[in-house]
Amino acid sequence: MLKPASTTANTEANAVFKGTAMPWLFLLPSLLILAVFIYLPALQTLRLAAYKANLILGTERFVGIQNVTELLLSPAYRQVALQTLIFMVLTVSLGLLFSLGLAWLASRPVRGSKYYRLLLIYPYALSPAIAGTLWLFMFNPEIGVVNQLLGSLFNVKPRWLDDPILAFSLVVVAAIWKGLAYNIVFYLASIQNLPGDVMQAAEIDGATPAQVFWRVAFPLLTPITFFLVFTNIISALFDSFALTDILTRGGPYFHNAGITTFLVYQLYQDGFVNFKSGVAAAQAALMLVLVAFITFMQFKVGEKRVHYGG
């Protein structure tokens, strides 16, 4: 039974806060948690970036932008930044491409499709540390299943973790594999909600399956792709730590730094291994600027290519 319009209007009027104190009171617990665990540490990190600090001795010396200048002039840090950029581009582009292809195949009406989807999504349940351990055992030069197979078939056993190119490629592939399930979940849900009449109309007009996918389906998937590009960039910048630490510990050494030493791992090394707190804080500040720049460029340039269907 429908309620009278007057009753509904009165209910909505009563739901509105009549003062400004009550909304802030409800927000206060969340604001306190954010302030203690996010905002204050972030401000402290930005302050520490202007100091030469030693956590063991508890000493600080103001140096201004010297930490940032030293980082930007350091050949090792520039190499780490370039490696991070290459790693990010490879993992984001290839990861999204493979995820979209697998999600499209998994969305097809075939027998046992629910089991295929479950197997595709399963890696998302693994923590990065467990995923890194699995890949470490699989690609162990002596007892790894990959080298055992290659040795029996081709009589070769590559030193995956000792060769710079192989080690970098291994970390890239492991990161792509770890992120596939997350991307597939979103792509699969989006594909299943595509308007079927539009797809059928394209097929009736004589479009090939490839044309239906790229000319019809993919433009309708650009909003979720836009979202996944950003989340994958953040993941490549920050979630690569566990895989790198377990698989290669930043090595092997190549020119001025470890070939798999990325920005977040370099920050960890300087902050918690070498106890260069000021330098580590400066790296955190630079990463904050980098993320802000990438976000700005994505919304400035990338959103123009997004098609929001009406």
Side-chain angles (χ1 to χ4, degrees):
M1 182 176 180
L2 296 176
K3 294 182 180 180
S6 59
T7 304
T8 305
N10 291 334
T11 303
E12 293 178 354
N14 293 332
V16 177
F17 293 110
K18 296 182 179 180
T20 57
M22 188 60 70
W24 285 106
L25 185 62
F26 283 117
L27 288 173
L28 184 60
S30 298
L31 292 176
L32 287 176
I33 293 174
L34 290 173
V36 172
F37 293 102
I38 296 181
Y39 300 137
L40 291 179
L43 292 175
Q44 177 65 10
T45 299
L46 293 176
R47 187 197 70 83
L48 193 61
Y51 288 82
K52 288 287 187 182
N54 189 311
L55 290 180
I56 298 178
L57 300 178
T59 58
E60 291 183 354
R61 178 170 59 87
F62 181 78
V63 294
I65 62 172
Q66 181 180 336
N67 288 329
V68 176
T69 304
E70 289 180 358
L71 286 173
L72 296 178
L73 295 177
S74 169
Y77 189 76
R78 292 202 298 268
Q79 178 182 326
V80 169
L82 178 60
Q83 291 169 178
T84 305
L85 178 62
I86 296 173
F87 173 78
M88 181 179 66
V89 171
L90 290 176
T91 54
V92 173
S93 58
L94 296 178
L96 291 180
L97 182 63
F98 283 121
S99 299
L100 179 57
L102 291 172
W104 182 259
L105 294 175
S107 67
R108 301 299 88 190
V110 295
R111 173 180 285 184
S113 59
K114 62 174 66 175
Y115 301 107
Y116 303 147
R117 296 167 188 170
L118 180 63
L119 292 175
L120 288 173
I121 296 171
Y122 171 71
Y124 186 55
L126 299 176
S127 69
I130 294 176
T133 304
L134 288 175
W135 281 77
L136 180 63
F137 277 109
M138 286 194 303
F139 287 87
N140 184 284
E142 304 300 332
I143 62 173
V145 64
V146 175
N147 270 15
Q148 293 292 332
L149 183 61
L150 291 176
S152 62
L153 294 177
F154 306 105
N155 197 29
V156 293
K157 290 187 176 181
R159 305 292 298 183
W160 296 98
L161 304 178
D162 298 332
D163 183 88
I165 302 301
L166 292 179
F168 187 86
S169 302
L170 181 61
V171 174
V172 169
V173 174
I176 292 173
W177 174 83
K178 183 64 182 71
L180 279 178
Y182 177 85
N183 298 328
I184 288 174
V185 168
F186 285 95
Y187 270 135
L188 190 57
S190 299
I191 290 172
Q192 291 175 337
N193 285 282
L194 290 175
D197 53 347
V198 176
M199 313 283 286
Q200 293 174 0
E203 293 175 355
I204 293 173
D205 289 340
T208 64
Q211 290 174 330
V212 171
F213 177 78
W214 290 111
R215 300 293 181 88
V216 181
F218 185 72
L220 296 175
L221 293 173
T222 49
I224 196 64
T225 302
F226 179 75
F227 164 77
L228 288 175
V229 167
F230 179 74
T231 56
N232 278 253
I233 287 174
I234 299 301
S235 177
L237 287 174
F238 297 101
D239 291 345
S240 60
F241 174 82
L243 286 174
T244 301
D245 188 49
I246 292 174
L247 281 174
T248 63
R249 296 194 178 276
Y253 196 82
F254 182 73
H255 287 307
N256 300 305
I259 189 66
T260 59
T261 298
F262 306 123
L263 289 175
V264 67
Y265 196 78
Q266 183 66 45
L267 189 155
Y268 161 77
Q269 287 285 337
D270 286 333
F272 299 98
V273 177
N274 302 323
F275 298 106
K276 299 178 181 179
S277 304
V279 174
Q283 292 179 47
L286 289 175
M287 291 187 69
L288 176 63
V289 173
L290 176 61
V291 171
F293 175 75
I294 292 174
T295 305
F296 172 78
M297 291 303 297
Q298 184 180 3
F299 279 90
K300 186 74 173 178
V301 179
E303 196 172 19
K304 295 180 181 179
R305 302 178 180 272
V306 176
H307 171 77
Y308 295 99

